[in-house]
Amino acid sequence: MNRAFVLVRRRLLGAVPVLAIVVVGTFALLESAPGDAVDAYLGTTGGDRGLVDQLRRDWGLDQGPLQRLGLYLAALARLDLGWSVAFSRPVLDVILERLPNTLLLMGSAVALAFGLGSLLGVVAGSRPGGPADRILSIGSLALYAVPGFWLGLVLIVVFAVQLRWLPSGGIETIASGKQGLARAGDIARHLVLPVAALGILYLALYLRMMRAGMVEVWRQDFARAAFARGLPHRHIVWRHVARNALLPLVTMLGLQAATMLGGSVVIESVFAVPGLGRLAHEAVAQRDTPLLLGIILVGAVLVIAVNLAVDIAYAALDPRVGAGQETSA
Amino acid sequence: MSAAVRFRASAEGVAGLAILALLGLVALLAPVLHPGDPLDIVGAPLTRPFTVLATPLGTDWLGRDVLAMIVHGARTSLTVGLAAAFVAISIGVAVGTLAGLFGRWVDETLMRVTDAFQTIPGFLLALAFVSTVGPSLATVVFAIALGAWTGPARLVRAEVLSIRERDFVAAARVVGMHPLAIAVREVLPHALPPVVSLAAVIVAGAILTEAALSFLGLGDPNRATWGGLIAEGRSVLRSAPFLSIWPGLALVVTVLGVHLAGEGVVAALALRRSGP
């Protein structure tokens, strides 16, 4: 367990400068935007010069950029992400309210992609060059080219409009009064299409990685030795080849966390899922700088957390990891 | 076997190149095939596909020619995809070379910045960038590149780290070659081939990101874009789904072409894609 502890400490220490760069970088980017929150706010309500100046003072927008960065950092230390102009509520509250939906969506998509993807990858990689491999390789390459948001619309047309099997959007039936299991079932029904739209690209990715990894392992001496000893094909595939090809997929899981969070922005917009991604789109539309900044920051923290979890899982799966000296980044 | 022979031997590469050549031709000839502004109204609104000869893929709810918009959209998609990949790879090569050659604090600083960019979801970054600077072709290109340069940067750094220990680099140093000349003339040419194999993935990603940005209304508003067309079709998705389906199919074919051509390039360079 000491191994995992060392790993976690190293990761957390490494995350500090990264987060600092993220904060300063996003602040600088949004600083350079024409117009500020006051302009955006008054664009919808209207107001005179005096109100403009007073609001700028109230929101600290009349000070220099460095002071504002300082104010922002000080507030961050108190876990205060600022005030959302669009929602008239603290940014952190708005984000935390939306976060569970995104986690549910992403978690389900990862489970689908990783589970089914690696399974199909084993099917393809158990006999490289065989008929199943050809079909799955071509199919996954085609799936890999499909934009998730477009796939989402196609799924809506087929399953929600034509067949009327599944709802076309939202996270649950509004004001249905459902509780407990009935509510969970309702949410699950609403999640089927968005999870499929978000996950299928990664399913194709894991399938291809698993297959490529297995092709490599088949060439290695221990796999050939197992074959030479006359072990059953099924036994070699599962116990020797697939197991060794699985590790790189776990690494990929962490690497893809950021991309998937980005992908959920569009998917949540397509399916009207009230999550973090849709919130980002709303923040952009309403020029809500503190909110967008907060989402990016929470997104970065989320990605770091996922990578930490992946590292621990990796250390548990592979006893060589973190056992020896520091490996290079 | 030469690279060209190996490329021709890969069925995927040939198929991908054929798709891309056709698309490139369509994009180049767009002003000839469909002269004038593709966003002009040319017929009755919402005619079905394959019913009117002048507008074979139908018209949208304003009466604009869907085929003309898709053909002109090919220009935007390919331009943005190639330009963003070029910018991303250029930044990545520059950062990776500097980090790999200079080492120490330069390496440390640049790699932490790379980490930071990899920690922020690239699409969120692009969204924030376009929304602050304003949508135009150049901003979209740069916004996409912002999220895509880290891959090539890491790859080039790793290559440079191994190449700079080789004898011919030591020899160049001994004869008194300028460090910059060593970087450009001795190290870079050997570090680039693996990056080329990454190019297809970056171009494909850039095309998809551009489509997603214009789908959310953050593309160049004065151009026909596939993502924008898909978004406009949404409002009549129930009655006229083809408006969203056609441009999406164009996207799928394009990205598939890029991926297939990429497989060909990997075969041509005789590179093994090794696991991490």
Side-chain angles (χ1 to χ4, degrees):
Chain A
M1 222 47 245
N2 192 28
R3 224 155 34 87
F5 176 74
V6 171
L7 212 64
V8 168
R9 198 187 54 187
R10 194 162 78 220
R11 272 287 182 182
L12 284 181
L13 282 180
V16 172
V18 168
L19 268 182
I21 296 171
V22 170
V23 172
V24 175
T26 44
F27 185 83
L29 172 66
L30 293 159
E31 213 29 46
S32 63
D36 57 20
V38 172
D39 295 329
Y41 179 66
L42 294 180
T44 54
T45 61
D48 60 4
R49 193 72 235 166
L51 184 60
V52 170
D53 291 339
Q54 198 212 323
L55 278 176
R56 289 236 157 89
R57 254 194 320 280
D58 288 353
W59 292 349
L61 292 174
D62 55 341
Q63 300 174 39
L66 267 183
Q67 277 99 327
R68 258 178 294 153
L69 180 58
L71 280 178
Y72 186 68
L73 288 175
L76 278 187
R78 300 190 303 270
L79 281 183
D80 173 10
L81 293 187
W83 186 260
S84 162
V85 182
F87 290 86
S88 297
R89 289 171 57 199
V91 166
L92 193 63
D93 290 5
V94 182
I95 290 178
L96 287 182
E97 191 179 284
R98 301 285 195 101
L99 191 59
N101 288 337
T102 296
L103 290 181
L104 194 61
L105 176 64
M106 279 177 61
S108 314
V110 166
L112 169 82
F114 194 84
L116 200 57
S118 54
L119 203 66
L120 289 175
V122 172
V123 172
S126 68
R127 288 184 199 277
D133 178 35
R134 300 297 288 182
I135 294 170
L136 283 172
S137 291
I138 294 171
S140 64
L141 198 65
L143 279 186
Y144 202 44
V146 175
F149 63 92
W150 178 73
L151 180 67
L153 290 177
V154 173
L155 290 176
I156 289 179
V157 169
V158 175
F159 292 102
V161 178
Q162 305 281 344
L163 297 173
R164 294 173 184 280
W165 286 355
L166 292 161
S168 67
I171 187 78
E172 59 183 318
T173 313
I174 294 164
S176 64
K178 283 180 179 156
Q179 290 296 326
L181 268 183
R183 183 167 177 238
D186 186 42
I187 292 177
R189 263 170 55 82
H190 280 82
L191 274 177
V192 172
L193 294 184
V195 164
L198 182 61
I200 227 141
L201 181 119
Y202 300 95
L203 191 153
L205 181 76
Y206 290 127
L207 194 165
R208 295 182 72 74
M209 270 196 80
M210 189 72 192
R211 181 200 170 268
M214 284 179 73
V215 170
E216 293 284 321
V217 177
W218 274 117
R219 287 206 198 91
Q220 293 188 17
D221 288 342
F222 69 88
R224 295 156 68 115
F227 184 73
R229 290 205 322 266
L231 293 178
H233 186 259
R234 175 186 293 268
H235 179 89
I236 307 177
V237 166
W238 286 105
R239 299 298 293 266
H240 297 275
V241 180
R243 273 180 94 164
N244 282 289
L246 195 64
L247 275 181
L249 268 74
V250 178
T251 317
M252 205 57 182
L253 216 57
L255 288 177
Q256 291 298 334
T259 336
M260 202 174 222
L261 192 57
S264 69
V265 175
V266 207
I267 298 295
E268 286 176 13
S269 296
V270 168
F271 288 97
V273 175
L276 212 55
R278 196 176 146 83
L279 191 65
H281 190 204
E282 289 165 12
V284 166
Q286 314 214 29
R287 209 175 268 290
D288 192 338
T289 308
L291 184 56
L292 191 55
L293 208 64
I295 294 171
I296 289 179
L297 203 60
V298 170
V301 171
L302 195 66
V303 170
I304 289 173
V306 169
N307 276 294
L308 200 63
V310 165
D311 275 353
I312 294 171
Y314 204 98
L317 286 172
D318 188 345
R320 289 167 302 183
V321 174
Q325 63 278 45
E326 299 248 327
T327 46
S328 62
Chain B
M1 273 199 297
S2 78
V5 172
R6 280 195 298 261
F7 189 92
R8 260 178 280 151
S10 115
E12 285 110 335
V14 174
L17 200 66
I19 294 176
L20 289 187
L22 194 68
L23 276 167
L25 206 65
V26 166
L28 276 178
L29 293 180
V32 184
L33 294 170
H34 291 278
D37 191 338
L39 302 180
D40 282 344
I41 293 168
V42 294
L46 291 175
T47 54
R48 301 236 139 229
F50 314 122
T51 51
V52 180
L53 197 62
T55 56
L57 290 188
T59 55
D60 70 357
W61 54 287
L62 285 174
R64 299 179 297 188
D65 184 357
V66 172
L67 182 63
M69 289 193 287
I70 289 179
V71 164
H72 280 262
R75 286 171 88 91
T76 318
S77 271
L78 291 181
T79 314
V80 171
L82 292 176
F86 180 76
V87 174
I89 291 177
S90 304
I91 300 176
V93 166
V95 171
T97 311
L98 285 177
L101 272 187
F102 288 99
R104 282 187 257 205
W105 67 267
V106 178
D107 184 26
E108 191 60 30
T109 314
L110 287 176
M111 281 303 109
R112 289 297 82 75
V113 173
T114 312
D115 280 345
F117 271 92
Q118 276 184 321
T119 306
I120 307 176
F123 190 73
L124 274 184
L125 192 62
L127 207 65
F129 187 80
V130 175
S131 74
T132 50
V133 182
S136 75
L137 207 60
T139 4
V140 170
V141 165
F142 193 69
I144 296 171
L146 269 183
W149 62 268
T150 51
R154 281 189 180 285
L155 194 61
V156 169
R157 172 179 174 271
E159 289 292 319
V160 168
L161 279 180
S162 98
I163 291 168
R164 70 167 191 185
E165 304 300 330
R166 307 253 179 96
D167 287 343
F168 64 87
V169 176
R173 212 173 282 139
V174 168
V175 298
M177 229 169 136
H178 192 272
L180 203 68
I182 295 180
V184 175
R185 303 231 317 254
E186 303 293 328
V187 175
L188 262 188
H190 293 92
L192 280 183
V195 181
V196 174
S197 71
L198 205 63
V201 179
I202 294 179
V203 171
I207 291 175
L208 288 178
T209 310
E210 189 275 333
L213 279 175
S214 17
F215 178 74
L216 292 182
L218 288 165
D220 189 330
N222 301 317
R223 279 167 174 270
T225 58
W226 290 342
L229 291 179
I230 297 174
E232 283 178 20
R234 268 182 88 181
S235 52
V236 286
L237 194 63
R238 278 158 201 278
S239 52
F242 64 89
L243 284 180
S244 289
I245 305 255
W246 290 131
L249 281 179
L251 261 174
V252 173
V253 170
T254 308
V255 176
L256 190 62
V258 173
H259 278 311
L260 287 172
E263 300 269 311
V265 171
V266 171
L269 295 174
L271 291 165
R272 290 242 120 256
R273 266 202 205 135
S274 53

